[in-house]
Amino acid sequence: MDFTTDKLRSLVRKWQTLIEAFVDVKTTDDYYLRIFCIAFTKKRQNQIKRSCYAQSAQIRQIRAKMVEIMKKHASSCDLKELVNKFIPEVIGKEIQKSCSSIFPLQNVAIRKCKVLKTPRFDLQKLLEVHGDYSDEIVAAAVDRPEEETKEEETKDE
């Protein structure tokens, strides 16, 4: 999963600070992921000054908070649930809300997610999840309706 280049370029502007963070995390279904997050500072209400730069200490605090929230969300669910969290940007909204006391942020999102390591394929685990079908007949003969068989007979002649 990745932001498109034009989306990323449209977010970057002058007179604001860009803050990025990444974290390596393991999901509950043993996928190792590297998650990248991006955020931008925002002007406070009634601010007259043109720029809204964050100090380096504030950037470090925000980055630490980003890493903590990403670890919390990713390590508590499996890969499918995590992707479902990426789509409505649940993690980005939580980061924005929790970091607002440090410095107001805007356009907070998960920028990229890389799969570093996939779990080993385990047939037993797959059967546990999807059930055991060994008792059932998988490929059974299917009875055709009479109309279809009549059409085939006429084509053969």
Side-chain angles (χ1 to χ4, degrees), residues 9 36 40-41 84 89 100 105 124 127 130 135 142 147:
R9 302 279 189 273
F36 297 84
F40 300 91
T41 56
N84 288 335
E89 296 183 3
S100 64
L105 298 176
Q124 290 294 331
L127 290 175
H130 295 290
D135 297 337
V142 178
E147 296 173 3

Side-chain angles (χ1 to χ4, degrees), residues 1-136:
M1 191 198 105
D2 199 355
F3 260 19
T4 57
T5 308
D6 61 325
K7 172 68 175 172
L8 205 55
R9 302 279 189 273
S10 70
L11 294 174
V12 177
R13 280 187 252 131
K14 288 172 76 174
W15 317 116
Q16 65 184 7
T17 305
L18 180 146
I19 304 166
E20 289 182 306
F22 71 94
V23 64
D24 292 344
V25 70
K26 179 183 170 186
T27 61
T28 55
D29 53 351
D30 295 331
Y31 280 89
Y32 284 91
L33 304 173
R34 183 169 290 150
I35 303 172
F36 297 84
C37 185
I38 192 167
F40 300 91
T41 56
K42 180 174 84 173
K43 284 185 179 179
R44 296 179 194 274
Q45 226 173 2
N46 302 323
Q47 182 175 328
I48 299 167
K49 192 167 75 170
R50 178 191 239 182
S51 63
C52 54
Y53 298 125
Q55 296 176 338
S56 59
Q58 291 171 323
I59 293 170
R60 280 197 302 271
Q61 285 179 324
I62 290 170
R63 195 173 287 128
K65 195 76 106 168
M66 286 173 147
V67 167
E68 175 193 323
I69 292 169
M70 286 190 292
K71 275 185 181 177
K72 182 181 76 173
H73 277 279
S75 61
S76 64
C77 62
D78 64 341
L79 186 66
K80 192 174 183 179
E81 292 172 13
L82 189 61
V83 171
N84 288 335
K85 286 183 181 181
F86 288 160
I87 295 166
E89 296 183 3
V90 173
I91 301 171
K93 288 175 184 171
E94 187 176 333
I95 290 170
Q96 186 173 347
K97 189 182 286 185
S98 65
C99 292
S100 64
S101 60
I102 302 167
F103 204 98
L105 298 176
Q106 64 183 353
N107 299 328
V108 183
I110 300 299
R111 179 177 66 88
K112 185 192 284 189
C113 183
K114 289 183 181 179
V115 177
L116 300 177
K117 187 177 174 186
T118 58
R120 291 185 59 166
F121 179 72
D122 188 13
L123 187 60
Q124 290 294 331
K125 194 171 186 181
L126 185 70
L127 290 175
E128 285 175 14
V129 172
H130 295 290
D132 189 20
Y133 297 108
S134 61
D135 297 337
E136 298 176 19

